[in-house]
Amino acid sequence: MKNIRRYLGLTLLMLAVVAMSSCIKENLSETNKSESATVTLRVNESRSDLTSPAKDNEGIKTLRVIVVDKSTNLVEFNFKQDYRGEANPLTQKTITFMGMTTGEKDFYVVANEESIGWDGSTLTVGENPGSGFLTKVLKNVRNYFPKARRDIGTDGLPITGYLNTTIQEGVKEQTITINAYHAVAKISMSFINNTGSNILIDKLLLGQFIADKTFLFGQNGTVPDGTVYDTHSFERQGEGATIYPGDYESVEHNKHLLEFYVCETAADPQTYTVAMESTASGISINEPKQFLSTSDIQRNNWIQVIATINRSSVGVTISFGWEVQPWGTEEIDVPSFD
């Protein structure tokens, strides 16, 4: 199996500061609430050298932070903010909580909850979220994913993180780092077109690897019990996507021409197939071809696929190479996979 590398997509930096003024005022009792917390969300740019900005709509559009006090198992804070009117992609945000009690806390972070059909407002302050909240399963996620890049402009992508930590009494400044990750995987297709003709893609057909449920928070690559997989197809909209003659290195247009997002899966590798219909081009490449040989597709990974299209005496054929990269890495160096 190909070794799948993971990458920190987002980082939450939390600073617990005594007597700091607050930009968020919660209606809470002042008893034992001499501590406050400043929460700074930093979205890393998905590159190890941090020199390239995050892609549009892959960052934070809305943000929810839920804090549960472990001594009572009750929600102490449930903060939600909509940043969709700000610069996109949003790469850093500071949130200040005032009056947080000391002691052991669970911090739950969900960005862009709308993109996955979850509503965190149902967890009200003073409510017990239940022991199974960290392993919460989202059902019917096929209503939301897979999703093409063209379709994430409004709600973005789900991003989640969790940390159990202690807010210490008497410490004036306390730094807490929470790692958060995209809760979906990204698949992109770049093309080498050796046919000498433009190829207009009318439809992209995905094999039976589209999951019907997923965990809200990552569970070390596992998927929910009883996950069922189905097929999916993306239809051409407007002028659609055209593959120009040449390869993705000399023809920039062909690089990452098709991009879409899926929930993590643990399907049969033989189901990881794609096919394309190109009736407008008079070229048939609609036989499903396997593009990946690993047994799973994990969240926060970017699967970069190279599709090579050749014309021969027997017709037009397509073959694939693939590589799993940290989300956002631009390098494409893939082994052949036929």
Side-chain angles (χ1 to χ4, degrees):
M1 180 190 301
K2 188 81 176 168
N3 180 35
I4 295 182
R5 292 169 286 176
R6 295 184 180 179
Y7 184 76
L8 171 63
L10 304 136
T11 300
L12 278 176
L13 178 62
M14 296 190 176
L15 305 175
V17 185
V18 176
M20 177 170 284
S21 62
S22 173
C23 63
I24 300 172
K25 300 189 182 300
E26 301 284 351
N27 184 18
L28 298 171
S29 168
E30 294 302 319
T31 304
N32 298 324
K33 293 187 181 295
S34 60
E35 302 288 338
S36 63
T38 299
V39 183
T40 302
L41 180 62
R42 298 182 185 274
V43 182
N44 287 341
E45 296 162 338
S46 300
R47 272 175 162 260
S48 58
D49 56 9
L50 299 181
T51 59
S52 177
K55 283 198 172 183
D56 287 348
N57 301 314
E58 291 183 352
I60 301 166
K61 292 178 176 292
T62 67
L63 175 65
R64 187 180 298 276
V65 180
I66 297 170
V67 184
V68 176
D69 185 90
K70 292 293 285 186
S71 66
T72 63
N73 288 323
L74 301 179
V75 175
E76 186 172 350
F77 292 91
N78 187 339
F79 165 77
K80 169 74 182 296
Q81 185 64 45
D82 191 326
Y83 303 113
R84 282 176 284 197
E86 299 191 14
N88 186 42
L90 182 63
T91 58
Q92 182 174 327
K93 199 64 190 178
T94 301
I95 308 162
T96 304
F97 294 90
M98 185 175 183
M100 181 176 292
T101 58
T102 58
E104 187 180 0
K105 311 289 180 182
D106 284 332
F107 288 84
Y108 301 92
V109 177
V110 181
N112 310 330
E113 61 187 52
E114 298 81 3
S115 67
I116 204 70
W118 182 69
D119 183 3
S121 66
T122 58
L123 283 176
T124 58
V125 172
E127 178 184 355
N128 187 328
S131 59
F133 184 53
L134 186 58
T135 56
K136 181 175 180 58
V137 174
L138 301 176
K139 301 178 180 179
N140 302 316
V141 294
R142 280 201 291 260
N143 294 333
Y144 302 93
F145 288 93
K147 189 171 287 183
R149 179 162 183 77
R150 69 194 180 199
D151 298 324
I152 67 170
T154 300
D155 295 327
L157 301 170
I159 298 163
T160 63
Y162 164 79
L163 181 70
N164 170 266
T165 192
T166 299
I167 304 300
Q168 300 177 17
E169 185 174 0
V171 177
K172 291 185 177 182
E173 294 188 5
Q174 183 176 345
T175 301
I176 305 166
T177 300
I178 298 181
N179 299 329
Y181 303 86
H182 288 95
V184 292
K186 177 179 179 178
I187 300 177
S188 69
M189 297 185 67
S190 300
F191 292 90
I192 302 172
N193 179 3
N194 294 326
T195 68
S197 303
N198 289 346
I199 301 175
L200 174 63
I201 301 172
D202 295 311
K203 184 182 294 187
L204 180 70
L205 303 99
L206 307 181
Q208 194 170 349
F209 63 89
I210 305 305
D212 68 335
K213 58 179 68 73
T214 193
F215 288 111
L216 179 59
F217 300 96
Q219 304 296 318
N220 297 318
T222 62
V223 299
D225 291 339
T227 298
V228 176
Y229 300 101
D230 203 351
T231 60
H232 185 83
S233 63
F234 292 110
E235 304 281 346
R236 175 165 67 95
Q237 291 185 4
E239 296 181 356
T242 299
I243 308 169
Y244 296 146
D247 61 41
Y248 62 90
E249 292 180 336
S250 59
V251 182
E252 183 68 20
H253 171 84
N254 288 351
K255 186 176 181 180
H256 306 319
L257 178 62
L258 302 179
E259 291 186 327
F260 55 94
Y261 308 88
V262 300
C263 292
E264 57 187 345
T265 74
D268 185 331
Q270 294 184 3
T271 67
Y272 295 138
T273 64
V274 295
M276 291 181 289
E277 292 184 2
S278 182
T279 55
S281 303
I283 293 177
S284 177
I285 48 176
N286 57 6
E287 179 185 356
K289 295 281 289 186
Q290 187 176 346
F291 68 91
L292 191 64
S293 62
T294 183
S295 62
D296 56 8
I297 295 176
Q298 296 186 12
R299 63 178 61 198
N300 202 56
N301 277 302
W302 183 2
I303 299 172
Q304 299 182 33
V305 180
I306 306 298
T308 302
I309 305 173
N310 292 309
R311 189 193 299 271
S312 69
S313 59
V314 296
V316 174
T317 61
I318 185 168
S319 61
F320 293 102
W322 63 276
E323 178 68 273
V324 179
Q325 296 282 353
W327 191 309
T329 299
E330 292 292 347
E331 297 176 358
I332 300 181
D333 182 14
V334 303
S336 62
F337 180 70
D338 296 318

